[in-house]
Amino acid sequence: MRYLPLTQSDRDTMLTQIGAQSIDDLFADVPEAARLTGPIRGLPSHATEMAVERHFSALARQNMAASHHPFFLGCGAYKHHVPASVDHLIQRGEFLTAYTPYQPEIAQGTLQMLFEFQTQVARLFGCDVANASMYDGSTACWEAISMAGRITKRSKAVLSSGLHPHYVSVCETMAHFTNDMLDVAKPDFAGADTQRLIDNIDEETSAVVVQYPDILGRIEDMSAIAAKAHEKGALLIAVVTEPVALGAIKSPGEMGADIVVGEGQSIGVGLQFGGPYVGLFACQKKFVRQMPGRLCGETVDAEGKRGFVLTLSTREQHIRREKATSNICTNSGLCALAFSIHMSLLGERGLCDLATLNHARAVQAAQRLNKVPGVRVVNDTFFNEFTLELSKEARPLVRELADRRILGGVSLGRLYPDVNALQNGLVVAVTEIVTDEDIETFADALEELLS
Amino acid sequence: MRYLPLTQSDRDTMLTQIGAQSIDDLFADVPEAARLTGPIRGLPSHATEMAVERHFSALARQNMAASHHPFFLGCGAYKHHVPASVDHLIQRGEFLTAYTPYQPEIAQGTLQMLFEFQTQVARLFGCDVANASMYDGSTACWEAISMAGRITKRSKAVLSSGLHPHYVSVCETMAHFTNDMLDVAKPDFAGADTQRLIDNIDEETSAVVVQYPDILGRIEDMSAIAAKAHEKGALLIAVVTEPVALGAIKSPGEMGADIVVGEGQSIGVGLQFGGPYVGLFACQKKFVRQMPGRLCGETVDAEGKRGFVLTLSTREQHIRREKATSNICTNSGLCALAFSIHMSLLGERGLCDLATLNHARAVQAAQRLNKVPGVRVVNDTFFNEFTLELSKEARPLVRELADRRILGGVSLGRLYPDVNALQNGLVVAVTEIVTDEDIETFADALEELLS
Amino acid sequence: MSDLNKGGWRPEMTEERRDEQGTFTGNRALMLDEALIFEIGDSETTGVDLADFPQVETRLGGMERDRRIGLPGLSEPEAVRHYTRLSRQNYAIDLGLFPLGSCTMKHNPRLNEKIARMKGFADVHPLQPVETVQGALGVINELAVWLIKLTGMHGVAMTPKAGAHGELCGILCIKAALEARGEDRKVILVPESAHGTNPATAAFAGYVTENIPATPDGRVDLEALKARLGPDIAAVMITNPNTCGLFERDMKAISDAVHAAGGYVYCDGANFNAIVGRVRPGDLGVDAMHINLHKTFSTPHGGGGPGSGPVVLSEALSPFGPIPYTERFGDGHITLVEEETAGDRHPHSIGRMTAFHGQMGMYTRALAYVMSHGADGLKQVAEDAVLNANYLLRSLEDVLDAPFGKSGPCMHEALFSDMGMAEGYSTLDIAKGLIDEGYHPMTVYFPLVVHGAMLVEPTETESKAALDEFIGALRSVAIRAKAGDEALKSAPHFAPRRRLDETLAARKPKLVWPQTELAEAAE
Amino acid sequence: MSDLNKGGWRPEMTEERRDEQGTFTGNRALMLDEALIFEIGDSETTGVDLADFPQVETRLGGMERDRRIGLPGLSEPEAVRHYTRLSRQNYAIDLGLFPLGSCTMKHNPRLNEKIARMKGFADVHPLQPVETVQGALGVINELAVWLIKLTGMHGVAMTPKAGAHGELCGILCIKAALEARGEDRKVILVPESAHGTNPATAAFAGYVTENIPATPDGRVDLEALKARLGPDIAAVMITNPNTCGLFERDMKAISDAVHAAGGYVYCDGANFNAIVGRVRPGDLGVDAMHINLHKTFSTPHGGGGPGSGPVVLSEALSPFGPIPYTERFGDGHITLVEEETAGDRHPHSIGRMTAFHGQMGMYTRALAYVMSHGADGLKQVAEDAVLNANYLLRSLEDVLDAPFGKSGPCMHEALFSDMGMAEGYSTLDIAKGLIDEGYHPMTVYFPLVVHGAMLVEPTETESKAALDEFIGALRSVAIRAKAGDEALKSAPHFAPRRRLDETLAARKPKLVWPQTELAEAAE
Ligand SMILES: Cc1ncc(COP(=O)(O)O)c(C=O)c1O
Ligand SMILES: Cc1ncc(COP(=O)(O)O)c(C=O)c1O
């Protein structure tokens, strides 16, 4: 077998040397009843590389790949062009096949990269510090609520109706078992629920959670929410699912967010059918010891040279066990690397230009689609994603578009199957990958399907 | 521009520091008349990575890729399954972006690999030594003839009719200008021209050149040719275009070949529409100082540690200039690496099994195709490639097969447009990538097209 | 005669800037130092070219950014070099044996990398209509079947993002099952030798944890455990094989006892590599077990992640598994059970563990891995992993103390303590000495139950020659630690950095590069 | 109590095997030694799994192999590690500045690697029906158009496999043109500063070579050249910019003179990077010039190749270009002119230079490169390359002798001599000193016209900061060479190997691993 270096004669020699009769001797502690005598039944036997590759090629062909079709999906996962050098670099064996950098003398590559990543994320979010990544945006969101609970010693969080419904679900799963209270609401085409949030923050509130831009693509100023939260001793948690937006709009930190979490997939990582992604987690300095996850810090070595280590580990499970700030261990290191490389390639100029380009394309698309009879753009404000209200239910329409080889957005019916008022909503994302032709094709198809 | 690190302010600073008014000062030696004032006209301006990638995707889609269709082409280029690790490893920046190992202290990676490659090639071909690669099989073939000329001080080479016609062409191009004599002939379904070769070797003959297996896929014993050549003071040059064959059949060295050249594409490199490929070049020890190309040799460093260097450079152009054994400089290093990695992964067991598998599939295919009315298998012997004589002209038929999405072999009409007797010939290669289904599909299509 | 540089400008760097070892750059031939992106890049440089943008009226609603962010950019050549040079300061499986106990640092096949990058998997959006992602759903479903059969369990929750997330999912399912029975048990029992994520997870899910006592031979004390069982015990969390490298002989009896007391058995499956294809946890009475695809199933660790932690579930727990999940119909079509249909099809679900479908990129790799090995090959994996560990154990126990060396064969890892080292020498010195020898050290100071623990896991992807070389190096270092070799106290000597001051890092945390320094560096 | 190892077996390696620096393995942390595949592998091990083969009656005609070959095999983990470890003993552009004069070691964009691997290019057979490879032919054709326009020439022969092969192709075209005129000229004039391939090529094509005299300022001596022209001169081969880093001011006059004397002008285009987009060789009267796609057009050097050397041709030489080549029709369809059609379409062709269509894998990369830069970007490439070189020249000329420093601005490379070093110190010491500083040395001892030549070519893909660091390092080393620093004589100190004994290698060539040693090693 190609992955197993031991030859049969190696095995025999080694068994003899350690005084075992056969390999079964080494499994002597397994109770008789649980010992299997042959390979597990009902599973195939080994396969050649070629056979495996062909199997997957056949499966891959059953999927419509984003780059082969006009593509307008967003809602928490965005398709951007990722430079080829990113994927080349993350495949360097020294990055790909390294473990968590617990031995810093031979892990400076990963550590320095994490330090750079943390700085990039903190600056982008307008925060003092950021950690070395979480699983994804949705789990980071719950971790932020949980952290706010530890800080405020309160257990009620007020969630914006504009928070991604899957993020809400993840929080609900956890809150149900931790006896936390979540104040939730569903989105409304009429506008964001800033006022509801402000009204509902009270002395019991640990945090108010606002997505920016929100699930329908709207951009709202969070300053007033932050002010009210701080007045009541609560924290403002901002959630960013499209970090590219921050090349064009104010950072949440500027508006007073105490914790900012986000999904970093959009930069460097790609769609990947939902994972692995990379959770971004930043906060203001005073909360650093309540942060979940790994942190990389600068220090010096025995010769006084600058170097990096994982630090403040007394927050973490491997040191603090049941008293840790989170149970997270393995995080999303390689995706953080991809994010960081892509962000270094962009730089401030590139990120801002990319944001401007995305916005410009989205505005063009919104104008064009708004002209289609039976289509109304819901948003007053948006970055690269906006919501259409259609004259028909959106969910079947999305399938019809797919039949025409157009991946035409995310229907709100998929996200909110139980909210009648949203069934005609279609969330459309437009990034730099969308061409004029794509927009025309989409508009034409919509026109036909809606008439 | 993404590949240019100088900023405009860097440029200005540097120009000022070196005392130039403008960049034009640095081009002052270019005569006025040849100075262009702006970008060259008629060429597009810079393009984004995404735009370039899309351009090539569109071009790539216009080609029928071998792995997407039943595929039976050979004749000097073979499709084998190359393990994914090969391509991963040759993309290591330290291999990919290194230069020729002229500074051995920081090029031991490339050098040790070349030493291993040379040993693999020499052993495979049954020779004492091999060089660090040539451009491809066809140019290696001429280099061998040229080398035989230097050794024997004669200038007539007898070429087997089974030698790849493109290789013959390359030799003819050169021989025309170097005033060498080539005794050539066209292949014949009746059998190999071993006797012609033996008969034509005389005291003027520098070398006799025999392809093994030959262009029609036939396998002939070269021992008698070697004996006659040696008797007359000539050399036997064997040419191997499908090195996988040598996992199943005797090496040319065993049969008395003095120089063995070949095309290494088949192992590790892939089809690549004809290039880059890798020329293999091996010979017996006594001829080593007449070899063309680079050689890597073992030595020790100042501390006595084993190390490798390029050696016997007095054969080469950079030292010997017009007296060099060849003008070759850049060779095919990275393809040699791919070859060597794939060969190390195979090992003797893997190579022999691969050869057995290829042969078995080919025999199955030959049996099946031979049953198609209007088809006759020409070969008595073959490895993984054989020739069919069809009841129709093969060249248009190959195009008709392509219309049915079958890449059904190489027509002899393409290779020998001027030899009438060969127009119904179709050379079919069958490697491990061919499935039973592929064979059936091919046979069925042939049956239809020939009826 | 050139007109250039008449002024005779020269750079200001003739002065000697050489360090102790005599180089100007601080480099050592191929060991290259590398500055931070904040020192190299500047905010106007970019390594990405973009199309011109059309002029439009913005719809940003007055929220335009008006401050600079402070993100340095690099041209592509600078970026490639920066990250390539950084990478060279890392150790990795691709460089050599990586014997981190509990981490299963096995070879990561490159075929899997290739497959994960096929556009049909890598370039698909999680919210595409299910009809357009049948192949992607197929991968998830096929892998689910493999995991269920390999473990002999009833169901599997695929979405957890890593081992700890899988633990959380399993514990929540247990909590949900108890809730469904109307019970509110408060305590989870966890052995002291357990990985930190076990108690952390229990706490994260709102439980209190208590210790499970161990026997002197390194296993769960069945009688003591039984004595503690009762109506307040929600579950036990047991690692099997355990972190001392031993198989829990009494696992089935433990499960039976826990079940009899109305609790559930959570098994930490991080060490599944020792038994995959040879023992099915389902046969031992386990209710939930996470599988680290980034351990047993060869997906790369990536310097810390991403991983993937599917949890296999018993029949009792399966109804509570999270959404979304895949269901295959007779005709081969696959559907996704999520919010809309969960109400009917999966009413007891705990809900979502994560936004989308989990770690697709790891599923492709893991499925490619299990298909490559097949059921026969996976059995061989376990056997070779265990053989390699036992070979190591027996090759080292005369120079390193093996506290449980007499407790039976070890499984896929061998545990040593620091007993017998010279005064003032510790496990840390052995670890740092191994670095100089060209190895990543083993796991150190874990599990906590052994003093100065060294947990050595070679995995099955090491050849005998590689093991022998490692054994030689470790013996040499161990002997030096016993002899009190001074040089060992200051190891590593040859790594990119000497020992790093972790106390300083924690005392005065510098977690980001200061904003002001960018401006300066960029000048 | 374990029953294992009752005999108390221990490995036989407790004895000290530590080297001078104190390690057992000989490794230095991340600088890892690596044995040969013949020492690691054995002939029964394989890293490739194959399908079972059907039993058939063989058709090998009794030629079955009956001896063993002696090819060692490695499992995949061993292979990945072997080559990864080897790679780490190399310097490369990806690691740092690689200032090899005449080699144009510029950044190799990763986009190009991705494109070259698209199945539509990488997985296509050279003899497929042309209808099935229109996109591949399109790449060749598009690149041909770029090369013709960039050089202002009439045609291009795409198939040559590298620079020297391009030279050969160009010289054969010249020979064919002369032959067509019924002339048999015997001599090609080549300056002493020319690259070795120039005279070697001329000789390979059956010519004798003679020197072209140079002026003291480092350029061709036009008057002396004119004096030598005559009916025996087939061609001159001139490198422009030349290998002293200077532009041949008189190039047009040279061409005119050669043409007037009935000869042809071959230009070595290895240094095209200095002028691409700014000067068209066609405007200087050149008849043939090869272009190293692996220099100016960024295709990777790969540790020695593969390259690609298309030759652009003047109207006079175009009829003689090799087959096959592509022709695009008005409707976009592309045809391949090869044996069958050459008779009608291209009757004077010299024939094939190589079996197939040349270096497809390099065409894709080069075309991606020129498209990325565009005509505007390529002009900037030349300007930045020249600026960087001049900046280096002026930053170093006070510590290193620049023999042609007063001959005008340099082009894309700067030339220095060893004048002024301390007794016993040479260019070699500077080169080896740079290795310790973390750099690949410049080209040394070439061109031959300068004593102890050092030819430094930074390329345009280096930042100012990278240049400054290199300048500092080179100044430091140069000053040490002038001061006679002992340590420099034994440099490099930190590389994987110290200076290697090249004499020994040549005196007792060991070019392959001896067969017998495999058997031994495998035991
Ligand atoms: C025994 C054990 N349990 C649980 C975990 C946690 O797994 P993960 O890091 O994937 O969250 C680990 C991994 O380090 C482990 O070794
Ligand atoms: C000036 C010059 N001419 C010709 C060549 C030969 O090119 P190649 O190595 O591609 O054959 C080189 C390359 O080294 C060169 O520098």
Side-chain angles (χ1 to χ4, degrees), chain A residues 99-100 102 135 294 317 327-331, chain C residues 100-104 161-167 193-198 201 239-243 266 268-271 290-295 301 304 306-309 413 443 446 455 457:
Chain A
Y99 198 72
T100 305
Y102 288 138
Y135 304 135
R294 296 188 190 122
Q317 49 73 28
N327 71 334
I328 192 171
C329 177
T330 293
N331 57 19
Chain C
L100 266 184
S102 204
C103 299
T104 312
K161 293 273 186 176
H165 205 222
E167 293 175 27
S193 61
H195 191 261
T197 50
N198 290 189
T201 297
T239 309
N240 191 21
N242 70 26
T243 63
Y266 188 92
D268 182 328
N271 294 340
H290 74 265
I291 295 168
N292 307 63
L293 297 186
H294 48 298
K295 297 183 177 178
H301 281 73
S308 178
E413 51 196 358
T443 293
F446 173 82
L455 189 61
E457 179 182 1

Side-chain angles (χ1 to χ4, degrees), chain B residues 99 135 329-330, chain D residues 102 162-165 167 195 197-198 239 243 268 270-271 290 292 294-295:
Chain B
Y99 198 73
Y135 303 135
C329 177
T330 293
Chain D
S102 206
H165 205 222
E167 293 174 29
H195 192 261
T197 50
N198 291 189
T239 309
T243 64
D268 182 329
N271 294 341
H290 74 264
N292 307 64
H294 46 299
K295 296 183 178 179

